[in-house]
Amino acid sequence: WEDYGTTSTGMASYDADGTYAAKLRVTDDDGLQDTAQVSIKVGNPYNEQEDNDDHAQANLVTFPLVNWAASLGDSQPVYIGYDGDDRDYIKFTATAGQVLSFDISGDSDNADLDIHLENEAGDILAESTSPEAVEHIDYTFTLDGTYYMYLELWYQITQEGFSDYICSGTLN
């Protein structure tokens, strides 16, 4: 630890990715103490595993999906349609009669994100392509099978930053 009077710094190293608890205890000259604890996530801040740019590389997910974090990478030029090279695909299984409710929201109003639901043949079954950073799909499956959703950046309003997003969904 390094002591800078009212501010001290410390460092810890971890051998593996994961979430760790960091605890700090402070004692003043009179012996009074206080303790604080925070969680620190080490490693990839996203749930997704790259490359996941097509059906063959899609990330397998299970529902309910809660705050699944991912990124579509660096920003694209202003108002240029995204070229699809870094679409993010997820896959899951569903049975006839199940209802999918799926949301995606961007990290800011900086990007227009779109979502598309496909069957194994690549036919689009549902999509949400509004000019917003928040999209939603509701869909009732008529056949058992493996299904795919791809999430894409249609355009980015500024040329700075990333297009991080959060997905949540249910399949009942």
Side-chain angles (χ1 to χ4, degrees):
W1 294 95
E2 296 178 33
D3 188 354
Y4 297 102
T6 59
T7 304
S8 295
T9 62
M11 183 179 359
S13 297
Y14 301 94
D15 293 330
D17 290 355
T19 302
Y20 297 89
K23 185 185 272 187
L24 173 66
R25 181 180 311 144
V26 177
T27 305
D28 69 11
D29 292 338
D30 295 325
L32 297 174
Q33 294 183 347
D34 196 8
T35 303
Q37 183 170 318
V38 296
S39 292
I40 298 173
K41 186 171 184 177
V42 175
N44 183 359
Y46 304 112
N47 298 101
E48 72 171 324
Q49 299 298 311
E50 290 285 0
D51 277 343
N52 59 343
D53 299 333
D54 57 31
H55 282 196
Q57 299 170 324
N59 290 176
L60 178 64
V61 298
T62 57
F63 290 93
L65 193 63
V66 179
N67 294 330
W68 194 83
S71 178
L72 284 165
D74 291 315
S75 61
Q76 300 298 307
V78 177
Y79 293 103
I80 301 297
Y82 191 65
D83 64 9
D85 286 342
D86 196 24
R87 288 179 176 172
D88 288 343
Y89 277 80
I90 62 173
K91 71 178 175 180
F92 58 95
T93 58
T95 57
Q98 284 189 303
V99 177
L100 172 71
S101 180
F102 189 87
D103 296 289
I104 179 176
S105 59
D107 60 350
S108 69
D109 292 331
N110 189 40
D112 174 14
L113 304 172
D114 293 338
I115 54 176
H116 311 269
L117 172 64
E118 297 180 335
N119 60 17
E120 287 184 283
D123 301 321
I124 293 178
L125 305 175
E127 58 189 349
S128 181
T129 59
S130 72
E132 306 295 330
V134 176
E135 301 288 347
H136 177 82
I137 287 179
D138 285 319
Y139 184 80
T140 302
F141 293 94
T142 58
L143 299 171
D144 296 355
T146 299
Y147 294 90
Y148 299 85
M149 296 199 50
Y150 72 87
L151 311 116
E152 68 178 334
L153 176 64
W154 180 245
Y155 68 78
Q156 186 131 348
I157 296 168
T158 69
Q159 294 186 32
E160 298 177 4
F162 291 88
S163 294
D164 292 351
Y165 61 89
I166 299 291
C167 299
S168 295
T170 58
L171 182 62
N172 298 311

